[in-house]
Amino acid sequence: MTTTTDDDRGFPPALAEVAATEFDHDEGNGIDFEPYAAFDSAEETTDWLRSWTGNPDLDGGAYRVFGQDGTGGLAALWCVRPGRPLVEQPVVFMGSEGACGVVAGGVSDFLWVLADGIGPMEAVEYDDLSGRADPVLASLAERYATTPRRPAREIVLGARADFPAYVQDIEALCR
């Protein structure tokens, strides 16, 4: 996997505001997401990736972990677009039970996914990508998004199409 050469861990303002937002899981009818106020350290990220894959040879440098679901599955920016800013890197999710996938093509589209009431775990683990729109998250997306608003389903399926081998590439790293 290609990574950026820059180890930028500066937290994007949009994700900082997401972190300041309360998420209501609503007993399974809301978004199961606990955003962080900063990226995990490079060491924590490497430890997580090695543990998740069972592969002690991996380096987590391609990921910037910024949140989790209630079971410990992690949402991260996947730094696969060399030379592009962090906010233009795809958002991925790696669940605690082994599910993984691409959620959005960048932070901007991720904000629209959240605005539609879909979190990173829901985007990867469920086929039904029709959430319950959240006006607070929609307002946040309107302030920060640089991409046009589209339904979460369109964004998620588009990101999967842009990175069709992501799941297979991650599975190939597992020991």
Side-chain angles (χ1 to χ4, degrees):
M1 283 184 231
T2 307
T3 63
T4 58
T5 57
D6 187 8
D7 191 33
D8 183 7
R9 293 207 175 261
F11 209 60
L15 290 182
E17 192 158 336
V18 168
T21 303
E22 186 173 330
F23 285 80
D24 182 10
H25 185 241
D26 191 24
E27 297 183 28
N29 295 316
I31 298 174
D32 183 3
F33 186 51
E34 301 167 15
Y36 300 164
F39 291 124
D40 277 352
S41 70
E43 295 80 16
E44 289 171 311
T45 302
T46 293
D47 287 347
W48 154 72
L49 187 61
R50 289 175 178 173
S51 176
W52 198 91
T53 61
N55 188 337
D57 300 324
L58 295 180
D59 174 328
Y63 296 93
R64 304 295 182 274
V65 176
F66 67 89
Q68 68 180 47
D69 72 350
T71 66
L74 298 180
L77 297 177
W78 175 37
C79 300
V80 69
R81 294 177 170 148
R84 304 266 295 270
L86 285 176
V87 295
E88 293 180 14
Q89 303 298 336
V91 175
V92 297
F93 179 78
M94 296 172 79
S96 64
E97 300 299 317
C100 67
V102 181
V103 175
V107 171
S108 182
D109 280 345
F110 178 65
L111 297 175
W112 292 123
V113 171
L114 291 175
D116 266 5
I118 304 292
M121 183 271 296
E122 293 86 4
V124 169
E125 296 194 14
Y126 300 129
D127 292 330
D128 181 10
L129 296 175
S130 60
R132 191 177 54 187
D134 184 305
V136 171
L137 291 168
S139 176
L140 190 157
E142 288 166 359
R143 286 192 306 279
Y144 287 100
T146 58
T147 55
R149 184 170 192 161
R150 297 179 323 282
R153 179 174 191 73
E154 181 180 323
I155 292 170
V156 172
L157 294 178
R160 288 179 189 168
D162 287 345
F163 301 96
Y166 179 75
V167 173
Q168 292 79 17
D169 290 348
I170 292 297
E171 289 172 352
L173 297 174
C174 293
R175 303 291 176 251

